[in-house]
C-alpha cells in the first residue's frame, strides 16, 4: 500500500463503523428479513438491494450521517440472481463513508452456486458398462437439465471454464484419462501439404513457415482409448501444454481413431500450435471416472455423474452457476466491501471499476471459476486482508493509472493470502498488476502450478511479499514476471522473500524474471533462498540488482544478450512480425513527446545505441553464498556489467555460455571458481570480495538471515533487510 495515503484510508474505514450519538444510523440485512421492515437490528431487511435503495433515499432527503453508514449483513447464505451493483450515486465521502460488511462474529456467504441434493443411483446398463467395476456401486447421477441448470455444455477453449463441482468446499476433479497428475505424450504432429494449418502466426519467417504448424491431427501411443465407447468423444475435451511448457490450452476434438492412435482436432486450434513431445490428457471421460471425488458431465443430455468422497448430505455438494459477479462497485467513492465469504461463481466475485477510495477487505473467496477480486481504474482503490484459494484461475487483478500520461493510479493489493490457485486454468499468476504507481505489498503467495505475479507499467512497487512453492508444474516461469516493453520503467521490487522455487523443465523458474528486454527495474533488498535462478535479466538494460541476499541460488544473477542471437527479430523492421518490434511498444506511448521524453530521455536515443546490447546493468553490494554467483549468457563479457561491492562466497563465481554460428545452439560453457586468478582479479578490482564458506548468516536452515557479530557480511557495504516485516500481518499466520 502507498504508505502516504494509508492514514486517510484507515480513518475512512474506522468512520464507516462508527455511529453518531443517539439513533443507530446503520442498516441491517438478514436472510429471514423483510424488505418492508425499517432495517433495524431487530427488524432487518431481506436484501442488499433494498438496503442500497434506502441509502439512496436517505442521501436524497437528508444526506449521509456524520461518520457514515454501514449495512450489516447477518449470518446466512445469500444467492442473488443478478449482480449487486453499486454506482456513483451509492458513494460515500471521506467524512461519511459507506460500508457493506458481515455482522461481527458471523459468517455471511454470497454464493453463485447451487446446492445439489437430487442424486439417484445409476441404473442405465450402457452407463454402468462404461464405468470401472470399482466405481459402479458408488457413482450417482443428477439431472442438470431437469434442475434448470444451464451452461454445462459450454467449455471456454482458453480458460476451460464450465460447470465446476465442489464437495465440502473442495474442488472436485473432472474425470480424466490418465488419472490426475499423469500425462500422455504427443508422439507426432503429422503435416499434410493439402491441409497445413499455421501455428503461432507471430513466428512466420520469410518463407511463410510458422512454428507449431499442424494438420488438425495428433498421434499418441496408449491403449486406454481402445476400450472406450464411441459416445465418449461427444463429451470429452483435451487439456495440454501443446507447444510451450508455459502455456496450456483446452481443445475440442472431432474424433479418435483409437486403433491407430490418432486424434482429429476441432477448431478453434491452440494459438501456439502443436509439437511432438508435449504432454496432454483427455478431460471429461466417463471411462476415467474411477476415483472418489471425480465427476463427469454428459454435455449432450445434461446429466452429471459423481463419485462422492463421502456421504452426500443436503448441503455439501455445490455446482457453480452464476456467470455474473457477486458485487460490483462502478465509479463509487469511499465504499467498502468487508468480511464476506464468496464461492460458486463461474467468473468474478467482487469487482471495483473506477472511482476512488474503495476497498475489498477481509473477505474469503474460494471455489470460483474466474479471477475472484479485481480493481480496475480509478485511484486509491484496493484489496486488503483477503484469503483467496481453491480458484480456477488467478486470484487478484490490480490496474490503475494512465500509461500515456504517466498519471498514477495508487491502487493496491495488500496483506492477502493467495494459495492453491489455477486449479483448472493452469497458466497464470496469483496477481495481475498493470498501470502506473500501483502497489503490491505484504501478500503471501504459494502452491500453484505457474507464476506468482505478472506486472507491467511504470513506477509500480512490489514489496514485502513472500512467495514460495510455485511453478510446480510449468517451466520458463517467473515468480514476478514482466517483459517485452522498453517503455515499462522504474518499477521497484524490494524487500520480498522468495524461497523454494525451482520449476520443472529446461528453464525452470526465476523469482524475478525480467524477460525480453525489460529495462530500468530496481531489485533491492530481497532475500532469495533455495532457488533455481534468482534474477534473470533477459537482454534488457539499465537494471539495478542491489543489496540482495542470495543463498543456494543457481545462479544468483543471470544476464543474457538474446538480442544479439535468437531474439534479433525484435529489432528487425523487415521481419514478418514487425508488429512485435520493440519500437512499436514505445511508439504506442508517444515516447518522443512529454512526459516520456522528459522522464526517460534515454529512450530517445535507444535505437541508435546498439539496442540489442544489454548495457548499463548494475550488480552491486549483494551477498551470495551456496552455489553460483553470476551467469553471463550469449557471449557477454564481464566488463559489460557493472559488478561491484558484492560479497561472493559461491563455488562458482562466474560462468559463461557461448553460442556458435547457429544462434539457437550453445557451443561451449565455462565455469570459473575462486581459483581462477584472472577472474578473481577482475572482480576484486571493482570492489568485490571473494571468500569461501558461510559469510556469517546466523542459521540458514531455520531461515534466519541475520548476521553474526564480526562476520565478513557485517564488514561490507550492505544495508539490513527488514525481514520481520515481510509477509502477512494483522490476523494472518505467516510461515
Amino acid at each position: 500500500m502507498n504508505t502516504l495515503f494509508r492514514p486517510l484510508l484507515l480513518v475512512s474505514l474506522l468512520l464507516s463503523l462508527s455511529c453518531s450519538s443517539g439513533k443507530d444510523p446503520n442498516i441491517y440485512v438478514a436472510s429471514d428479513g423483510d424488505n418492508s421492515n425499517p432495517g433495524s437490528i431487530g427488524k432487518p431487511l431481506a436484501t442488499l438491494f433494498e438496503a442500497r435503495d434506502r441509502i439512496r433515499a436517505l442521501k436524497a432527503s437528508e444526506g449521509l450521517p456524520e461518520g457514515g453508514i454501514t449495512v450489516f449483513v447477518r449470518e446466512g447464505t445469500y444467492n442473488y440472481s443478478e449482480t449487486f451493483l453499486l454506482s456513483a450515486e451509492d458513494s460515500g465521502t471521506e467524512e461519511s463513508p459507506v460500508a457493506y460488511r458481515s455482522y461481527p462474529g458471523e459468517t455471511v456467504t454470497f454464493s453463485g452456486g447451487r446446492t445439489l441434493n437430487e442424486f439417484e443411483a445409476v441404473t442405465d446398463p450402457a452407463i454402468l458398462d462404461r464405468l470401472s467395476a470399482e466405481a459402479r456401486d458408488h457413482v450417482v447421477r443428477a439431472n442438470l437439465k431437469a434442475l434448470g441448470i444451464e451452461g454445462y455444455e459450454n467449455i471456454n477453449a482458453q480458460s476451460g471454464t464450465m460447470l465446476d463441482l465442489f464437495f465440502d468446499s473442495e474442488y472436485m476433479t473432472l474425470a480424466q484419462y490418465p488419472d490426475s497428475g499423469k500425462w500422455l505424450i504427443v508422439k507426432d504432429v503429422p503435416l499434410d501439404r493439402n491441409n497445413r494449418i499455421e501455428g503461432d502466426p507471430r513466428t512466420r519467417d520469410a518463407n511463410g513457415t510458422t512454428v507449431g504448424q499442424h494438420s488438425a491431427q495428433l498421434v499418441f501411443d496408449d491403449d486406454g482409448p481402445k476400450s472406450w465407447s464411441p459416445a465418449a468423444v461427444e463429451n470429452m475435451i483435451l487439456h495440454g501444454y501443446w507447444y510451450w511448457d508455459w502455456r496450456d490450452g483446452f481443445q475440442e476434438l472431432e474424433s479418435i481413431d483409437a486403433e491407430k492412435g490418432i486424434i482429429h482436432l476441432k477448431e478453434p486450434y491452440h494459438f501456439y500450435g502443436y509439437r511432438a513431445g508435449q504432454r496432454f490428457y483427455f478431460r471429461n471421460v466417463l471411462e476415467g471416472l474411477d476415483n472418489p471425488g471425480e465427476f463427469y458431465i454428459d454435455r449432450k443430455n445434461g446429466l452429471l455423474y459423481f463419485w462422492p468422497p463421502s456421504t452426500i448430505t443436503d448441503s455439501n455438494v455445490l455446482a457453480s452457476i452464476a456467470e455474473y459477479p457477486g458485487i460490483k462497485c462502478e465509479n463509487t467513492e469511499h465504499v467498502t466491501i468487508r468480511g464476506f465469504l464468496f464461492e460458486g461463481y463461474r467468473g468474478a466475485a467482487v469487482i471495483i471499476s473506477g472511482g476512488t477510495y474503495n476497498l475489498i477487505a477481509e473477505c474469503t473467496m474460494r471455489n470460483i471459476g474466474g479471477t475472484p477480486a479485481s480493481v480496475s481504474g480509478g485511484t486509491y482503490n484496493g484489496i486488503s486482508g483477503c484469503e483467496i484459494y481453491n480458484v480456477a484461475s488467478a486470484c487478484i487483478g490490480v490496474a490503475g493509472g494512465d500509461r500515456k500520461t504517466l498519471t498514477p493510479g495508487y491502487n493496491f493489493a495488500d496483506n492477502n493470502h493467495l494459495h492453491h490457485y489455477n486449479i483448472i486454468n493452469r497458466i497464470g499468476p496469483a496477481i495481475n498488476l498493470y498501470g502506473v504507481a500501483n502497489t503490491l505489498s505484504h501478500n503471501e503467495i504459494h502452491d500453484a502450478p505457474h507464476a506468482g505475479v505478472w506486472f507491467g507499467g511504470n513506477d509500480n512497487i512490489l514489496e514485502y511479499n513472500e512467495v514460495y512453492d510455485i511453478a510446480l508444474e510449468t517451466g520458463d516461469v517467473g515468480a514476478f514476471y514482466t517483459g517485452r516493453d522498453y517503455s515499462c520503467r522504474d518499477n521497484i521490487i524490494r524487500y520480498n522473500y522468495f524461497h523454494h522455487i525451482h520449476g520443472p523443465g529446461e528453464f525452470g523458474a526465476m523469482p524475478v524474471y525480467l524477460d525480453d528486454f525489460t529495462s530500468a527495474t530496481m531489485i533491492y533488498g530481497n532475500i532469495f533462498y533455495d532457488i533455481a535462478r534468482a534474477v534473470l535479466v533477459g537482454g534488457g538494460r539499465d537494471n539495478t540488482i542491489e543489496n540482495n541476499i542470495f543463498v543456494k541460488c543457481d545462479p544468483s544473477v543471470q544476464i543474457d544478450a538474446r538480442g544479439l542471437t535468437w531474439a534479433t527479430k525484435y529489432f528487425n523492421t523487415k521481419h514478418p512480425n514487425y508488429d512485435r518490434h520493440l519500437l512499436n511498444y514505445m511508439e504506442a506511448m508517444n515516447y518522443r513527446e512529454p512526459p516520456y521524453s522528459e522522464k526517460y530521455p534515454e529512450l530517445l536515443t535507444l535505437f541508435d545505441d546498439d539496442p540489442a546490447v544489454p548495457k548499463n546493468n548494475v550488480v552491486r553490494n549483494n551477498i551470495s553464498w551456496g552455489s553460483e554467483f553470476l551467469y553471463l549468457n550469449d557471449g557477454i563479457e564481464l566488463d559489460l556489467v557493472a559488478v561491484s561491492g558484492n560479497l561472493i562466497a559461491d563455488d562458482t563465481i562466474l560462468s559463461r555460455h557461448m553460442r556458435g554460428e547457429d544462434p539457437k545452439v550453445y557451443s561451449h560453457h565455462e565455469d570459473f571458481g575462486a581459483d581462477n586468478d584472472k577472474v578473481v582479479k577482475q572482480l576484486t578490482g571493482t570492489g568485490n570480495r571473494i571468500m569461501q564458506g558461510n559469510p556469517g548468516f546466523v542459521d540458514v536452515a531455520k531461515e534466519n538471515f541475520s548476521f553474526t557479530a564480526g562476520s565478513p557480511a557485517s564488514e561490507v557495504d550492505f544495508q539490513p533487510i527488514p525481514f520481520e516485516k515481510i509477509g502477512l500481518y494483522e490476523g494472518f499466520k505467516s510461515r
Side-chain angles (χ1 to χ4, degrees):
M1 184 183 297
N2 295 281
T3 55
L4 177 62
F5 303 100
R6 177 179 270 169
L8 288 176
L9 184 58
L10 292 178
V11 168
S12 177
L13 296 178
L14 291 171
L15 286 175
S16 73
L17 300 179
S18 68
C19 300
S20 47
S21 59
K23 182 182 177 181
D24 183 354
N26 300 311
I27 296 175
Y28 298 82
V29 172
S31 57
D32 60 353
D34 191 311
N35 283 341
S36 64
N37 283 341
S40 63
I41 191 170
K43 295 184 176 180
L45 302 176
T47 68
L48 287 180
F49 297 91
E50 180 65 21
R52 176 197 64 192
D53 293 345
R54 297 283 181 96
I55 295 175
R56 287 177 178 177
L58 178 66
K59 290 177 67 177
S61 60
E62 55 191 271
L64 293 172
E66 184 180 353
I69 189 167
T70 297
V71 176
F72 285 102
V73 186
R74 303 305 301 267
E75 186 156 5
T77 297
Y78 299 79
N79 195 319
Y80 295 140
S81 60
E82 61 180 298
T83 298
F84 177 59
L85 178 63
L86 299 171
S87 56
E89 63 180 316
D90 302 305
S91 298
T93 66
E94 184 177 343
E95 296 77 18
S96 299
V98 175
Y100 294 81
R101 64 162 298 169
S102 60
Y103 192 82
E106 297 184 357
T107 300
V108 176
T109 302
F110 286 97
S111 176
R114 176 169 173 176
T115 298
L116 300 183
N117 48 29
E118 300 88 348
F119 286 97
E120 60 186 9
V122 178
T123 58
D124 185 340
I127 297 298
L128 291 172
D129 188 56
R130 293 174 61 188
L131 292 171
S132 67
E134 296 80 10
R136 289 169 189 159
D137 293 335
H138 302 282
V139 173
V140 293
R141 187 182 79 173
N143 192 324
L144 301 176
K145 189 173 183 179
L147 292 172
I149 295 174
E150 300 176 347
Y152 50 79
E153 70 277 15
N154 300 320
I155 299 176
N156 185 301
Q158 290 299 316
S159 66
T161 300
M162 59 182 295
L163 180 144
D164 289 320
L165 194 69
F166 312 98
F167 186 91
D168 286 343
S169 299
E170 293 292 334
Y171 251 99
M172 296 294 98
T173 301
L174 193 60
Q176 65 183 61
Y177 181 85
D179 283 338
S180 182
K182 299 179 181 178
W183 302 89
L184 299 174
I185 301 299
V186 176
K187 184 178 180 181
D188 188 24
V189 181
L191 284 177
D192 179 350
R193 70 174 65 183
N194 298 316
N195 181 34
R196 181 167 294 195
I197 302 166
E198 69 176 29
D200 183 349
R202 302 173 305 172
T203 62
R204 188 181 304 281
D205 60 23
N207 64 14
T209 301
T210 61
V211 301
Q213 283 191 333
H214 60 97
S215 297
Q217 296 181 32
L218 303 177
V219 178
F220 69 101
D221 186 8
D222 189 90
D223 291 335
K226 293 180 180 179
S227 63
W228 295 351
S229 163
V233 75
E234 296 178 355
N235 294 292
M236 73 174 61
I237 61 171
L238 304 173
H239 180 217
Y241 293 90
W242 299 113
Y243 196 91
W244 301 110
D245 280 341
W246 43 261
R247 175 59 65 190
D248 66 342
F250 296 85
Q251 175 68 56
E252 298 266 17
L253 61 161
E254 290 278 4
S255 62
I256 303 175
D257 186 333
E259 292 299 323
K260 294 182 179 180
I262 299 176
I263 301 169
H264 298 273
L265 306 177
K266 180 190 295 185
E267 291 189 84
Y269 305 116
H270 185 57
F271 177 82
Y272 293 101
Y274 309 85
R275 66 171 168 171
Q278 292 299 107
R279 50 196 162 137
F280 76 100
Y281 63 88
F282 294 93
R283 180 172 163 85
N284 199 36
V285 182
L286 181 60
E287 287 82 354
L289 205 171
D290 53 7
N291 288 292
E294 295 181 343
F295 69 101
Y296 163 82
I297 298 176
D298 180 339
R299 297 162 59 195
K300 182 179 180 180
N301 299 302
L303 301 172
L304 181 146
Y305 296 86
F306 178 41
W307 184 345
S310 60
T311 303
I312 293 177
T313 67
D314 288 340
S315 61
N316 66 347
V317 183
L318 184 74
S320 62
I321 302 296
E323 297 185 11
Y324 48 83
I327 297 176
K328 184 174 183 180
C329 299
E330 198 168 70
N331 298 317
T332 57
E333 298 183 8
H334 296 280
V335 171
T336 296
I337 307 298
R338 180 184 293 273
F340 299 125
L341 167 63
F342 295 88
E343 65 179 353
Y345 293 89
R346 292 186 186 177
V350 189
I351 295 174
I352 294 175
S353 177
T356 187
Y357 288 108
N358 300 295
L359 183 68
I360 303 167
E362 299 172 16
C363 292
T364 298
M365 304 180 192
R366 67 187 184 196
N367 305 334
I368 292 173
T371 299
S374 65
V375 169
S376 177
T379 56
Y380 306 117
N381 299 312
I383 303 165
S384 180
C386 295
E387 182 172 18
I388 303 177
Y389 65 99
N390 281 0
V391 294
S393 298
C395 298
I396 286 174
V398 176
D402 185 275
R403 289 207 58 224
K404 279 193 174 182
T405 63
L406 294 178
T407 301
Y410 298 126
N411 293 332
F412 60 90
D414 178 68
N415 195 41
N416 301 290
H417 189 188
L418 313 173
H419 57 100
H420 297 89
Y421 53 94
N422 286 122
I423 299 291
I424 306 298
N425 182 16
R426 308 298 284 174
I427 300 299
I431 304 176
N432 277 293
L433 172 71
Y434 189 78
V436 182
N438 302 302
T439 302
L440 303 184
S441 56
H442 295 284
N443 302 288
E444 183 172 342
I445 301 171
H446 61 95
D447 284 279
H450 194 60
V453 175
W454 286 349
F455 71 98
N458 307 71
D459 300 317
N460 297 299
I461 298 175
L462 297 80
E463 63 182 359
Y464 296 107
N465 303 286
E466 180 179 6
V467 188
Y468 58 96
D469 289 342
I470 63 162
L472 298 178
E473 187 175 289
T474 55
D476 199 8
V477 180
F480 286 1
Y481 175 91
T482 188
R484 201 170 298 136
D485 192 341
Y486 279 131
S487 69
C488 292
R489 306 178 79 79
D490 289 355
N491 296 297
I492 298 174
I493 299 172
R494 67 187 179 197
Y495 304 136
N496 302 284
Y497 181 32
F498 303 97
H499 59 102
H500 300 96
I501 299 172
H502 293 273
E506 179 182 359
F507 298 107
M510 288 67 71
V512 177
Y513 192 169
L514 306 184
D515 199 12
D516 289 346
F517 313 102
T518 298
S519 298
T521 301
M522 169 62 78
I523 304 164
Y524 183 90
N526 304 279
I527 299 175
F528 301 86
Y529 172 52
D530 196 357
I531 301 294
R533 297 175 181 165
V535 177
L536 172 60
V537 177
R541 51 173 63 190
D542 304 318
N543 299 292
T544 300
I545 303 162
E546 181 176 2
N547 208 82
N548 302 282
I549 289 174
F550 300 97
V551 178
K552 291 178 64 177
C553 299
D554 189 18
S556 299
V557 179
Q558 176 176 332
I559 302 174
D560 68 46
R562 62 186 62 188
L564 298 174
T565 55
W566 62 269
T568 55
K569 58 188 177 183
Y570 294 114
F571 302 96
N572 182 3
T573 59
K574 296 182 180 180
H575 193 275
N577 297 310
Y578 178 63
D579 60 309
R580 301 178 78 202
H581 193 286
L582 288 162
L583 179 60
N584 289 350
Y585 295 109
M586 300 198 319
E587 288 178 335
M589 294 297 114
N590 298 325
Y591 79 101
R592 298 183 183 90
E593 305 294 333
Y596 276 78
S597 61
E598 295 175 351
K599 186 171 184 180
Y600 310 123
E602 64 273 18
L603 293 180
L604 296 174
T605 58
L606 174 61
F607 276 80
D608 299 318
D609 183 30
D610 300 321
V613 179
K615 298 181 180 181
N616 307 321
N617 291 301
V618 175
V619 182
R620 178 171 56 213
N621 296 354
N622 303 282
I623 297 177
S624 179
W625 173 50
S627 185
E628 178 181 340
F629 174 54
L630 181 62
Y631 172 26
L632 300 179
N633 202 353
D634 301 317
I636 296 178
E637 299 292 342
L638 184 56
D639 55 11
L640 183 66
V641 185
V643 183
S644 64
N646 301 283
L647 177 56
I648 306 168
D650 294 290
D651 294 333
T652 301
I653 60 177
L654 174 69
S655 65
R656 299 176 65 214
H657 231 146
M658 311 295 289
R659 293 183 187 263
E661 293 183 4
D662 182 348
K664 296 182 179 180
V665 178
Y666 290 112
S667 60
H668 66 282
H669 181 86
E670 298 174 314
D671 290 326
F672 304 97
D675 58 348
N676 187 287
D677 294 338
K678 181 179 178 180
V679 174
V680 168
K681 182 178 180 180
Q682 192 170 1
L683 286 170
T684 56
T686 55
N688 300 286
R689 180 174 178 180
I690 297 173
M691 62 166 291
Q692 295 293 302
N694 185 345
F697 295 115
V698 171
D699 194 338
V700 166
K702 294 183 178 179
E703 300 178 49
N704 184 342
F705 299 99
S706 56
F707 301 116
T708 58
S711 67
S714 65
E715 299 173 3
V716 297
D717 186 10
F718 184 88
Q719 301 303 309
I721 297 173
F723 187 64
E724 70 283 355
K725 295 181 181 180
I726 296 174
L728 300 169
Y729 62 88
E730 294 179 5
F732 278 120
K733 182 179 180 182
S734 181
R735 292 192 292 279

